[in-house]
Amino acid sequence: MTLRENVNAILHYKNYNKMPVVSFGFWNETVDKWAIEGHITEKEAYSYKTQGDNSEGDRSIMRKLGFDFNWNSCVSSNCTLSPLFEIEVLQEFPDGSRNIRNPQGLICKDKPGVTTIPAEIGTSLVDRKSWEELYLPRFKMSANRVDINRIKKLPKSNEREIPLGLHLGSLMGEMRNILGVEHLSYLQADDEELYIEIVNTMCGLCYDCAKLALETNSDFDYAHYWEDICFKNGPLVIPSMFDEIVGPWYKKITELVNSHGIDIISVDCDGLIDSLIPIWLKNGVNTMFPIEVGTWNASIKPWREKYGNEIRGVGGMNKTVFACDKAAVDKEVARLKSLISLGGYIPCPDHRIAPDAKFELVQYYCNKMQNI
């Protein structure tokens, strides 16, 4: 069986002959460090940093480590602002920090040398007027949002070694990107009509892009959403409103995908996602990713106990052990083995591998997983 066939068998609770060793990429600082240490070349690091997942650099680094493929092996459409905003410096400070307007129109504090998520200060989307003048025109559907020529030329499923997904965009996470967490929270209460209009516009664009892509070529192994609308204590959105307003869009898009024979639908949402899981499941999203272990010990096990075989998972491997020692890796692999036995689950580092990871420990993990 190919890796692709094994993945499909696992996620459909069927017999398989190999558990794939799956990656989800690295921080840019991680590949820089490994290049300095001599584990990878500067060319590989540069390729990964400039081209990202599934680039030549990514594939080369994965081979050296022992990973089989990157789960984010998806064909994407442009379901976001088009064109993006020009980056604009709004204010500069003596310490070198700046207030800038980023490509999504969000006002952020930019500090030199800081690589974490910038602090949000405000948004350019402050009212209906700014929505209609600055944003709405950038969410119009057009055929050039979908790379039709590329999709037509994709290798057929029986010619692929690894699974290939269709990225469905973001039904809520991109809205958080343009509004910021604070303004998103206020808008739900302050102007529900505008809130719903923004949701419907952005979700409608995702539907239209998915429809055009699938009409061009529907030979995909899975479909995938990106959201990131939770943090360590729970959702950044009100679950009841998410269910009522966004849920029907998940259902509409997943039914479209299902009509083309694709029944594995995954969602990438960081944080404590438990209160949103039933909403996703009800509307056809059946695979959770990356299952962040975090401080709350997320795991497929309690979800399986609650939802049965309706739910699948990819992720849930505690990547912090890569900064420890072989004993910590051994303990984590033993924990993962017990989860693998539940079926419908593929381990993967629960997010991108951080700079404190030791190259040789990641290799050790991959070798242990290759021999399960």
Side-chain angles (χ1 to χ4, degrees), residues 171-173 225-230 235 237 239 242-243 246-247 249-251 254 265-289 303 307 310-311:
L171 304 194
M172 197 83 233
Y225 293 98
W226 173 84
E227 294 301 359
D228 281 10
I229 48 173
C230 296
V237 297
F242 185 72
D243 186 13
V246 189
W249 279 106
Y250 277 110
K251 187 175 182 63
T254 52
I265 316 291
S266 65
V267 60
D268 174 349
C269 187
D270 299 349
L272 185 63
I273 65 174
D274 294 55
S275 60
L276 299 186
I277 288 176
I279 300 169
W280 280 320
L281 291 176
K282 179 176 72 173
N283 293 293
V285 182
N286 54 24
T287 305
M288 304 299 129
F289 171 86
W303 300 344
Y307 301 109
E310 184 181 2
I311 194 168

Side-chain angles (χ1 to χ4, degrees), residues 123-239:
T123 176
S124 304
L125 205 173
V126 294
D127 53 21
R128 174 167 290 282
K129 183 174 185 292
S130 57
W131 161 248
E132 292 179 347
E133 293 181 0
L134 299 177
Y135 287 83
L136 187 57
R138 300 172 192 256
F139 283 107
K140 297 296 184 184
M141 177 59 184
S142 61
N144 60 12
R145 286 183 175 272
V146 179
D147 192 342
I148 293 175
N149 289 331
R150 182 191 175 198
I151 293 176
K152 283 180 178 178
K153 295 175 183 178
L154 291 171
K156 292 181 170 42
S157 55
N158 60 6
E159 300 170 349
R160 298 197 296 261
E161 173 63 22
I162 67 172
L164 178 67
L166 174 65
H167 205 296
L168 299 173
S170 170
L171 304 194
M172 197 83 233
E174 188 63 24
M175 187 172 173
R176 185 218 70 195
N177 277 352
I178 67 174
L179 285 166
V181 173
E182 183 177 355
H183 195 58
L184 175 67
S185 302
Y186 280 121
L187 188 62
Q188 296 172 76
D190 292 345
D191 194 338
E192 185 177 345
E193 183 180 347
L194 178 59
Y195 180 86
I196 293 172
E197 183 178 327
I198 296 172
V199 169
N200 288 341
T201 299
M202 298 178 72
C203 292
L205 177 60
C206 290
Y207 177 88
D208 290 340
C209 286
K211 185 172 184 292
L212 179 56
L214 289 166
E215 288 172 348
T216 304
N217 185 350
S218 61
D219 191 9
F220 295 94
D221 297 294
Y222 66 101
H224 186 64
Y225 293 98
W226 173 84
E227 294 301 359
D228 281 10
I229 48 173
C230 296
F231 72 126
K232 68 176 183 177
N233 294 325
L236 297 168
V237 297
I238 300 171

